[in-house]
Amino acid sequence: MAVHGTGPYDPDNIFAKILRGDIPCKKVFENEWVLAFHDIAPKAPVHVLIIPKKAYVSFIDFSKNASAEEIAGVMQSAGRIAADLHLEDAGYRLITNAGQNAGQEVPHFHLHLMGGKALPAFPA
Ligand code: 5GP
């Protein structure tokens, strides 16, 4: 079920549990800014979720409340992950869903990195 893209942050959402290590994930990458792991229901051969380690509900929450250093850290990490997964030549999609109209299911800001095939015409 889609969630509202506004706060307050729910510390018991599924990605908060993954960050705490309460439930497992298939980790792709981790640094001081992000954890990246395979989506449990992939929509493409490569479907990785990139989540900030800090608690933000949505992109607007992240853009308003994260420091410039953190925003740069998260975005540079996303670029590095896409490059490490060799997605650059063939292409990839990097999106975020926010709130009900976008069908956001998990109320912890995240980027979807998808590739490995020709993706459906946008929006997918
Ligand atoms: P949203 O719709 O919020 O943008 O995307 C949430 C994504 O999280 C979905 O693609 C869904 O498959 C994925 N997801 C939900 N629960 C889990 C989980 O427990 N583990 C992993 N790895 N992905 C999950």
Side-chain angles (χ1 to χ4, degrees), residues 5-6 56-63 96-99 104 107-110:
T6 55
Y56 305 101
V57 174
S58 68
F59 174 69
I60 288 179
D61 185 17
F62 175 70
S63 68
T96 187
N97 294 316
Q104 182 182 3
H108 180 113
F109 169 56
H110 51 281

Side-chain angles (χ1 to χ4, degrees), residues 11-66:
D12 288 325
N13 77 74
I14 200 91
F15 292 171
K17 290 178 180 172
I18 287 174
L19 279 169
R20 285 198 296 269
D22 293 347
I23 63 169
C25 70
K26 289 188 180 170
K27 184 161 74 174
V28 172
F29 178 85
E30 182 173 15
N31 65 9
E32 69 181 298
W33 304 113
V34 303
L35 177 66
F37 50 89
H38 292 287
D39 196 294
I40 203 168
K43 314 293 187 299
V46 177
H47 187 171
V48 169
L49 301 169
I50 302 163
I51 72 174
K53 287 196 164 171
K54 288 192 177 176
Y56 305 101
V57 174
S58 68
F59 174 69
I60 288 179
D61 185 17
F62 175 70
S63 68
K64 274 186 182 169
N65 295 310

Side-chain angles (χ1 to χ4, degrees), residues 47-113:
H47 187 171
V48 169
L49 301 169
I50 302 163
I51 72 174
K53 287 196 164 171
K54 288 192 177 176
Y56 305 101
V57 174
S58 68
F59 174 69
I60 288 179
D61 185 17
F62 175 70
S63 68
K64 274 186 182 169
N65 295 310
S67 68
E69 186 186 22
E70 184 182 7
I71 291 170
V74 170
M75 297 310 289
Q76 286 172 343
S77 300
R80 176 177 169 182
I81 294 162
D84 286 354
L85 293 172
H86 307 293
L87 296 175
E88 192 170 11
D89 277 355
Y92 57 92
R93 182 169 289 155
L94 186 67
I95 63 155
T96 187
N97 294 316
Q100 293 194 322
N101 277 356
Q104 182 182 3
E105 290 174 5
V106 180
H108 180 113
F109 169 56
H110 51 281
L111 297 166
H112 294 256
L113 174 63

